Amino acid sequence: MQTDLWSRTLLLRGRAQRIDPRLAQILFLGMLLAAGAYLRDFAIHPLQIALTFACGLACQRFCEALTGRPGRSLRSALITSFSVTLLLRAATWWIHPLAVSAAIASKFVVRWRGKHLFNPANFGVLAALMLLPGTWISAGQWGADVAFAGWMVGMGSIVTRQARRADISWTFLAFYVGALALRVMWLGQRWAVLLHQLSSGALLLFAFFMISDPMTIPNARRGRAAHAALVCAIAFIWQFCFYRTNGLLWALLIAAPAVVLWDAIWPAPKFEWNSKGESDETTLVPLPFNGGADRPGWADGGAVGARLLRLLRRQKRYLPVQPRLAGRDGTA
Amino acid sequence: MVRHEDKTVLSLMNDYRGEPSEFALVVPVPEVLHREQIHIGDRELFRRIDAYSSPRLVEYYDPNPCQIMMREMTPMDAARLAAGSKLRSAQTESLGVTIEAQYTVGEYDIVILSATQSDGLEEWLHINGYHIPPGASRALKPYLRQNMKFFVAKINLKEHAATGLSYLRPLQFAFSSPKFMLPIRLGMLNAQGPQDLVIYALTENGRVETTNYRTRQLPTGVDLPSSVKDDFQSFYKDMFDHQVRLNGMTTVFTEYVWNMAWCDPCAAQPLSQEELRKLGVFWLSDVNRLVPQMFPLPPQGMAPVILTRLHVRYSADTFPEDLVFQETQDTEHYQARYVLHRPWQGSPNECPAAKTYFEELEQRRRKEAENLADLTGWNMEKALRKAGLNPSEKPGPWWHGLWD
């Protein structure tokens, strides 16, 4: 009886989560761009925005056709285009299209064991910053408004929870806040300094909309925690030891190769957006099975797939689903 | 403030008006400065750069609607805003203080200190006659922890008398450091209410902005009633106050960004190469000879110097951290510029177009009054009076005169 109830709950959960988390992300990023353009007067021209989206989507289609991969990642390309317009500033109109094309192309070129290595927007923006003239990032563009920060945290938690990758956002924030708090204490500054640093729109955008990208972070929860710690350490050193700007973005780029290492140490099924826009992990949830005494930790995202696999293995039901869990169905 | 790669030349001018004997300046610096790294600047240079980058009025004369006429444009002198943060503040190894260097430069007696304890440093400053406010040690501690040195200056009364000047000349110092910041927290110790600071940043590649606070441009290019010309300073002050209020006193405002080779319209002649060098622009060589021009067209090839003028009003609560800057690659020109249109002085009966002109003029003046109210936060009545309109007179309905 209890088992039936458990299965039904899981079925309900499965239906409730059929909404693609990327849709929520697109909606929120759109709101942020609109808010940025109208309330924070971002130095971005509508033509730059239009070209970014046109090039982002076209490049995605082109790369898909070239590599023969199924065309279903336009949503991801939209997210990348949003991120590029939110982050990158340029004096000329042709920078954004190049940056977003580099971002999308990196997904198809720089790959390791079926996963792309770099966060596309992160790669595109920093490649533009390094290689193209007249580019910059306005880290202070969001200001440090506590109400605005609360809004961003709220939206970010919804998206990351839907994608089941909230753990890396919160772990990263915990490490980073800890490091900032220690620095404030060591310097003997007032706590208002910490609050000011934490209300930074750039930090929250990074924590909830960039580092949480399920495709470019470790598959296992432990791996994600380690990765969050590494990114935090690099960003901290970059900003407070070398006094360089945009520490968070550079840290994510520099730390990206470590994902391979984390995945090797803590193997887990790869995250996939399937054709309905759900992760494969989510679609596996309503499978009927008996004996739910050993309940998997559904709600915590993370290594759900791995736990499910262990459970199914014990029940001899793993054969039909294992290839999908292991990400060997050729999808990306 | 001049910044190129990791090199900074900082020029500080204080609007100190108290007794010279009580003046004290404490500036955290990243290294022990040699005598040659310290220089006495020329106050005139500050006046020049202020005049060049001031918010300005432009005045257009409406053409005779019955003729085709050329537009005329007159650049106007604009408001001047006092620059500089005010720092007032006051030996022994037992206090953990080390005098790293000691110089007399112009009218200033300068010591460069390092310290191990902020309490000891505060006490040392008190013992040695520097008037620093209580609680200074807490503000000094973060700099001390970051292994910064302290540039401490007071007035050498004898030397000051010898200069024959009634004011204090700006202090300049040059140093290398990856930190591109301005320590404003120390200046808040003895501040009564919010303080204003105007920063002139000279860089090679693009405008300067803050990375830990929002930098935004002031509203510009707005049409205003022509009577604003009579009292532009008070208009600008009210407008700035209102913009600071709207942004919760948490924002740094950009007042001017322009390539140093030219200006349009010019509030004053751009600075010459020699003047720029005196301000510390060290990368200018004779190869890229700068010939400043007051033409409304960019000269052949831009100068490798961009001036960013930032204006910030801060209080201890709204600016908890020092200002941290970055040089962007943005070279787009910007100026805080306000536009007056002088009406044509003809008669409505001169031609049919003249009648339409006067009808439209009435609407335009109302719009100008609305702009004025929006920018300054004045109520509409005050703005209408300023525009020379009667607040009790309401505009006619939209269909008035439709069939004339």
Side-chain angles (χ1 to χ4, degrees):
Chain A
M1 182 67 192
Q2 197 187 2
T3 310
D4 285 353
L5 192 66
W6 179 232
S7 301
R8 271 206 295 276
T9 316
L10 293 175
L11 275 167
L12 282 174
R13 281 188 64 87
R15 275 182 205 135
Q17 294 191 353
R18 270 162 203 264
I19 305 166
D20 185 352
R22 287 177 297 178
L23 290 176
Q25 186 161 4
I26 288 166
L27 176 73
F28 291 148
L29 288 174
M31 284 164 73
L32 282 175
L33 184 61
Y38 290 101
L39 303 176
R40 293 287 185 266
D41 45 43
F42 282 2
I44 185 153
H45 194 273
L47 178 70
Q48 289 175 318
I49 299 176
L51 282 172
T52 308
F53 282 89
C55 276
L57 296 173
C59 188
Q60 175 75 31
R61 274 272 177 262
F62 177 74
C63 290
E64 280 170 359
L66 212 64
T67 54
R69 291 177 187 284
R72 59 179 202 211
S73 285
L74 283 185
R75 288 172 185 177
S76 300
L78 268 179
I79 290 172
T80 305
S81 306
F82 269 119
S83 304
V84 169
T85 48
L86 284 168
L87 288 170
L88 187 64
R89 299 288 164 263
T92 44
W93 60 266
W94 52 270
I95 299 282
H96 282 84
L98 274 184
V100 80
S101 304
I104 303 275
S106 78
K107 283 202 294 185
F108 292 85
V109 177
V110 193
R111 297 181 71 86
W112 180 267
R113 293 196 175 171
K115 269 173 87 169
H116 51 270
L117 197 60
F118 294 110
N119 178 303
N122 183 246
F123 179 85
V125 167
L126 292 181
L129 202 66
M130 274 188 293
L131 304 173
L132 303 177
T135 52
W136 72 98
I137 296 170
S138 281
Q141 67 181 356
W142 297 101
D145 188 311
V146 176
F148 197 70
W151 186 55
M152 231 184 224
V153 171
M155 291 196 309
S157 341
I158 293 171
V159 171
T160 47
R161 224 182 129 70
Q162 286 255 336
R164 302 180 163 222
R165 288 298 182 264
D167 59 320
I168 193 166
S169 297
W170 292 110
T171 318
F172 169 77
L173 276 178
F175 281 128
Y176 199 69
V177 172
L180 289 179
L182 285 176
R183 183 173 182 270
V184 163
M185 278 161 63
W186 181 71
L187 291 178
Q189 289 174 320
R190 299 180 316 154
W191 288 110
V193 174
L194 183 65
L195 184 66
H196 179 254
Q197 289 169 342
L198 293 186
S199 319
S200 156
L203 169 66
L204 298 171
L205 190 73
F206 175 83
F208 287 108
F209 292 94
M210 187 162 266
I211 197 177
S212 56
D213 171 20
M215 303 304 288
T216 52
I217 48 177
N219 300 324
R221 174 176 279 234
R222 280 182 191 168
R224 290 197 292 273
H227 196 58
L230 180 67
V231 171
C232 170
I234 296 173
F236 194 84
I237 292 167
W238 187 276
Q239 287 184 180
F240 298 113
C241 299
F242 296 118
Y243 302 101
R244 298 295 170 196
T245 50
N246 307 313
L248 297 169
L249 298 177
W250 285 110
L252 190 64
L253 188 85
I254 294 166
V259 174
V260 175
L261 182 68
W262 307 134
D263 277 346
I265 298 174
W266 293 291
K270 177 178 159 254
F271 188 92
E272 295 285 356
W273 311 105
N274 77 3
S275 56
K276 288 177 188 165
E278 306 149 4
S279 80
D280 274 359
E281 294 167 1
T282 318
T283 52
L284 283 167
V285 170
L287 276 176
F289 56 86
N290 300 318
D294 185 7
R295 289 181 183 183
W298 304 107
D300 58 9
V304 168
R307 289 180 197 183
L308 181 60
L309 198 62
R310 280 200 295 276
L311 185 71
L312 292 173
R313 218 174 256 149
R314 278 203 289 276
Q315 298 183 11
K316 311 284 183 202
R317 280 171 177 272
Y318 63 94
L319 282 175
V321 289
Q322 198 175 15
R324 292 178 71 194
L325 281 165
R328 287 188 218 135
D329 58 349
T331 57
Chain B
M1 188 166 58
V2 174
R3 174 84 176 178
H4 188 61
E5 291 158 356
D6 276 357
K7 303 177 188 80
T8 303
V9 181
L10 203 60
S11 306
L12 286 178
M13 193 172 81
N14 295 274
D15 57 350
Y16 180 72
R17 291 198 184 88
E19 281 298 313
S21 58
E22 290 194 1
F23 175 88
L25 177 76
V26 181
V27 184
V29 285
E31 60 187 21
V32 175
L33 303 179
H34 297 286
R35 169 67 188 80
E36 293 75 26
Q37 287 174 276
I38 306 166
H39 184 250
I40 299 291
D42 183 358
R43 194 168 72 154
E44 187 54 29
L45 287 173
F46 275 83
R47 284 202 180 136
R48 288 273 297 112
I49 203 165
D50 173 44
Y52 168 72
S53 62
S54 283
R56 66 210 61 206
L57 279 174
V58 282
E59 211 172 8
Y60 295 99
Y61 287 84
D62 283 356
N64 180 344
C66 307
Q67 293 172 14
I68 299 166
M69 280 182 65
M70 296 285 286
R71 271 182 166 180
E72 194 180 335
M73 188 178 67
T74 320
M76 291 301 304
D77 276 344
R80 288 176 165 234
L81 294 152
S85 62
K86 207 188 324 181
L87 292 166
R88 284 188 61 218
S89 12
Q91 138 182 61
T92 56
E93 284 186 11
S94 63
L95 293 169
V97 176
T98 313
I99 298 176
E100 302 282 355
Q102 204 162 5
Y103 319 107
T104 297
V105 185
E107 63 266 44
Y108 297 98
D109 280 336
I110 293 161
V111 284
I112 313 278
L113 303 173
S114 62
T116 53
Q117 288 180 351
S118 53
D119 297 346
L121 180 60
E122 183 178 355
E123 201 176 333
W124 186 94
L125 290 167
H126 274 301
I127 292 170
N128 288 277
Y130 293 91
H131 298 275
I132 59 162
S137 64
R138 185 152 189 206
L140 291 168
K141 191 176 173 186
Y143 304 109
L144 199 136
R145 285 282 172 128
Q146 291 176 76
N147 205 21
M148 290 176 88
K149 313 297 175 208
F150 295 90
F151 175 102
V152 182
K154 64 179 173 181
I155 304 298
N156 183 319
L157 296 173
K158 200 172 145 192
E159 292 289 336
H160 183 49
T163 62
L165 299 169
S166 60
Y167 59 86
L168 297 175
R169 290 178 293 174
L171 265 169
Q172 296 182 293
F173 29 93
F175 51 85
S176 296
S177 167
K179 292 182 194 174
F180 187 16
M181 52 87 79
L182 204 59
I184 57 169
R185 291 293 306 177
L186 278 182
M188 293 175 185
L189 282 172
N190 55 343
Q192 287 159 357
Q195 291 170 285
D196 270 38
L197 171 68
V198 178
I199 301 152
Y200 306 94
L202 291 158
T203 45
E204 183 178 6
N205 300 313
R207 73 177 166 84
V208 168
E209 65 176 22
T210 40
T211 58
N212 56 345
Y213 296 96
R214 193 153 77 92
T215 308
R216 66 172 300 182
Q217 296 174 342
L218 283 164
T220 185
V222 185
D223 293 340
L224 294 175
S226 37
S227 60
V228 164
K229 186 185 171 185
D230 306 333
D231 201 4
F232 183 56
Q233 287 203 28
S234 74
F235 153 76
Y236 191 78
K237 187 183 164 299
D238 284 5
M239 189 203 71
F240 192 79
D241 290 351
H242 187 56
Q243 297 303 322
V244 167
R245 252 194 323 272
L246 284 180
N247 288 280
M249 207 191 282
T250 55
T251 305
V252 177
F253 290 97
T254 305
E255 285 184 329
Y256 193 76
V257 182
W258 216 276
N259 188 287
M260 242 325 167
W262 66 298
C263 45
D264 172 34
C266 297
Q269 176 79 21
L271 274 68
S272 69
Q273 185 156 351
E274 194 192 341
E275 287 173 317
L276 288 172
R277 281 201 76 88
K278 280 185 184 168
L279 280 169
V281 182
F282 58 89
W283 62 90
L284 273 184
S285 63
D286 288 337
V287 179
N288 38 48
R289 185 88 205 158
L290 179 62
V291 186
Q293 299 179 47
M294 290 184 76
F295 299 141
L297 284 174
Q300 295 289 312
M302 295 291 194
V305 188
I306 288 173
L307 169 66
T308 310
R309 173 174 165 140
L310 300 169
H311 187 171
V312 51
R313 182 167 300 161
Y314 57 85
S315 69
D317 293 335
T318 57
F319 280 79
E321 278 190 286
D322 286 331
L323 302 174
V324 181
F325 302 97
Q326 72 169 355
E327 179 187 4
T328 69
Q329 299 284 313
D330 187 9
T331 52
E332 194 173 336
H333 293 141
Y334 165 84
Q335 55 184 337
R337 169 177 168 273
Y338 304 93
V339 185
L340 310 183
H341 293 279
R342 293 280 181 195
W344 172 63
Q345 297 294 324
S347 152
N349 304 321
E350 221 164 284
C351 66
K355 188 167 184 293
T356 317
Y357 167 79
F358 277 102
E359 282 166 6
E360 285 170 2
L361 179 65
E362 185 66 19
Q363 287 171 14
R364 189 181 86 192
R365 290 174 68 188
R366 283 201 165 268
K367 181 75 189 119
E368 288 169 352
E370 278 169 24
N371 291 345
L372 183 62
D374 274 354
L375 286 188
T376 56
W378 294 351
N379 61 38
M380 200 52 204
E381 197 174 314
K382 184 177 176 186
L384 284 168
R385 284 218 175 83
K386 187 84 180 167
L389 296 167
N390 185 351
S392 57
E393 255 180 42
K394 299 274 180 271
W398 65 271
W399 36 261
H400 181 78
L402 183 64
W403 315 118
D404 291 350

